[in-house]
Amino acid sequence: MYVDPPAPKPRDPNETPPVSASGALDDPQRAWEFNPDYQRLVVAWNTVLPQLEALRTALDKAYGLAKSPQTWDAPVGERYVQDIREWRNRLAVYRHNVLTTISDEAADTPRWIPTTANAPHAFQ
């Protein structure tokens, strides 16, 4: 059993961009925007997770039915139970890989990026 990695956090309506003006030479007029690449990772996570949950639920239901003595009364039933168990394991590994990839990419992607839109410039 795998534990899901941390999900990328969507932008909070009260969240403000980082303040970079820490010294006299810093540009206090720098404009920031929420990184669209980071937002795509949030959307990807929110799209993939329900689909993976639906697959897991379907396989868990099939596994539960397959293990039931009322479903199989022949020795061949155990082979199907083992197949479904293997599919569940593969799905768990796949889920872990997909969610870890999204989470790692989100950890390496800045939430805010500097932009030149609506920023005053002396020369254009």
Side-chain angles (χ1 to χ4, degrees):
M1 190 61 142
Y2 296 99
V3 176
D4 288 344
K9 292 183 273 182
R11 181 180 177 195
D12 182 25
N14 297 328
E15 184 179 1
T16 58
V19 178
S20 65
S22 60
L25 299 177
D26 287 341
D27 182 13
Q29 300 297 326
R30 173 165 278 176
W32 294 88
E33 71 174 330
F34 196 73
N35 192 344
D37 291 334
Y38 191 90
Q39 182 61 34
R40 281 189 211 93
L41 293 169
V42 171
V43 170
W45 181 281
N46 292 334
T47 302
V48 166
L49 190 60
Q51 294 172 356
L52 292 170
E53 284 293 324
L55 288 172
R56 186 187 58 80
T57 301
L59 279 176
D60 286 349
K61 182 178 178 183
Y63 183 72
L65 290 172
K67 283 183 60 174
S68 171
Q70 288 86 19
T71 304
W72 304 106
D73 62 351
V76 72
E78 183 57 32
R79 186 178 73 214
Y80 291 110
V81 170
Q82 289 174 355
D83 286 347
I84 295 172
R85 186 180 305 125
E86 179 61 30
W87 294 338
R88 289 173 69 211
N89 291 340
R90 288 180 184 183
L91 179 63
V93 169
Y94 178 75
R95 173 190 174 115
H96 180 71
N97 288 341
V98 168
L99 295 181
T100 299
T101 300
I102 294 172
S103 180
D104 289 350
E105 188 67 26
D108 294 340
T109 304
R111 289 176 57 81
W112 293 90
I113 56 173
T115 181
T116 57
N118 297 328
H121 296 283
F123 305 102
Q124 291 196 15

